[in-house]
Amino acid sequence: MSRSVVIALLVITMVAGVITSIVPEFPSEDLRASWLAGVFFESGRLDQIYPADTEAYTMLPPSEWVHYMRARNRNGDIFPFIYPPLWAAVFAWLGKLTDFSTIAAIAGFINTLLLGGMILLAWKASASRMSPVGFTMVGLLVLILTTIGSVGLLQNQLQILVGFLMVLAIERTRSGAEIAAGTALALAAAIKAYPAAFALLWLASGHRRAFIAFLVSGGMLALTSVAVAGWPLHQEFLHQLALIKKTVILTKFSYSIDPAIGQLFFADDLRLIPSLSNTEDAEDPVGWFIILKHPLWNLISSLLMVLVIVVVALAMRRRNIGNIWLLWPLAFVLFALLSPISWGYHYLPAVAFAPVLMTRFGTARGGMLLALLFLPEFILLIDLYKPAGPISHPAQLAGTMAMAGYAFALGMAAGGAGTAPCRQAQPAGEKRR
């Protein structure tokens, strides 16, 4: 391990320490959802693990969760559990070891380390000529100062671990450790199902061992989940995924094309879901909006997501791309843009590569490009956005357009556009172990 990498690791650790000292108690609503799933799993109330939604995904928790939290004088938002049942069992086990406050405090520190580690892995996977210290510092500034990283940290989102594993899978593939790469992506898919789609890119790029490792590891995790939690609970989980697929959720943090279409063209059909943090005397109820997608809309969205994987796979097969490894984060961005629900933190594994733009386009031009792309998501600006005409959530539209611009910039960088090449990257499929 080089001296500069060690310094980068020290910087990451210092940043983690500073953040956890400034914010000693993260709100952790997303982590609390997994904790509550564990509580009810342990008590045998399996009917209270997933929401009771039948027509649309409303992002409201099971009814008993609200009573449980209110009885303990905990007000505010309570989000649902939308992970495979295995993780309800895991949190049930954790609940026997310690309390939620301890888990949240530990998770806050670890998640900050994972953010920094994700960026450092992106530096290695992208073969950037920037120093690891510089790459890491730029990446941390982009993530922590925008909703992409800060909201995930405050909520102690499991997506941070998922993003880390996705970038680890790229780095391990490039280093020739394909079994480790496949295992990492399988674990990511076992937490949030969608990373499984990217395993197909290994077939296109000739990394068959990584793909097989993914199938074997993923199969073992799936069998373990069914053995621990039973098949009926998995049916409920699959039902939730089906509801998510046909529901559009519009908030200021939902950066994807579907919510943008919803607010621009179907504003009259949007339905307000009041937040549980509302009080009875609130003059203006707050919450989020949902709309059910027309079957044709749903079909087109699904086909476009498949098309992203196919197009990126075909580009990988050509093997004449300037930096073929940047096609992975490009696929991550495009897939998130077309997904029905993509919060800002779903872009973490792609935005971890953002400092590459300073390598490919030069420090000055690349820095200006980073500012242009990520200023719209700057955490202090989000509450300054105001509705404008038919646009009820301009922050959502600005964030979605910025991510589309970032996808374009990644495509240019991958294709060799810019002023400075990356370190020599091996063609896909050449290095094997």
Side-chain angles (χ1 to χ4, degrees), residues 102-297:
T102 302
I103 292 294
I106 295 173
F109 183 74
I110 292 177
N111 278 332
T112 311
L113 293 179
L114 289 175
L115 277 186
M118 192 188 311
I119 297 165
L120 197 55
L121 287 171
W123 166 80
K124 187 177 179 184
S126 64
S128 173
R129 289 188 180 275
M130 187 184 295
S131 73
V133 177
F135 195 102
T136 300
M137 292 180 69
V138 171
L140 283 172
L141 284 173
V142 170
L143 290 182
I144 293 174
L145 295 181
T146 65
T147 56
I148 294 169
S150 59
V151 173
L153 274 180
L154 290 173
Q155 299 299 329
N156 265 324
Q157 242 288 335
L158 286 176
Q159 180 65 37
I160 296 176
L161 174 58
V162 171
F164 176 86
L165 291 168
M166 291 168 70
V167 180
L168 177 62
I170 305 173
E171 186 278 326
R172 288 292 80 197
T173 305
R174 188 176 190 278
S175 298
E178 296 190 14
I179 294 177
T183 303
L185 193 65
L187 182 54
I191 301 172
K192 292 200 172 182
Y194 79 93
F198 303 111
L200 298 174
L201 299 181
W202 279 321
L203 286 179
S205 57
H207 294 92
R208 292 181 177 83
R209 291 183 65 192
F211 183 74
I212 293 172
F214 168 80
L215 292 179
V216 172
S217 301
M220 292 175 63
L221 286 166
L223 289 174
T224 301
S225 186
V226 173
V228 169
W231 179 244
L233 207 53
H234 286 78
Q235 289 180 304
E236 286 297 317
F237 169 64
L238 294 175
H239 172 66
Q240 291 299 312
L241 293 185
L243 291 179
I244 289 172
K245 185 172 179 291
K246 66 179 184 179
T247 306
V248 174
I249 293 185
L250 174 61
T251 76
K252 57 187 176 183
F253 298 122
S254 51
Y255 302 150
S256 64
I257 292 174
D258 279 349
I261 292 175
Q263 70 167 317
L264 290 175
F265 302 105
F266 300 100
D268 293 339
D269 297 322
L270 291 168
R271 175 162 66 98
L272 175 66
I273 304 297
S275 167
L276 293 175
S277 62
N278 280 319
T279 58
E280 293 183 359
D281 59 349
E283 295 182 1
D284 297 310
V286 297
W288 46 89
F289 293 88
I290 69 168
I291 183 175
L292 274 176
K293 296 168 67 173
H294 186 278
L296 179 60
W297 182 359

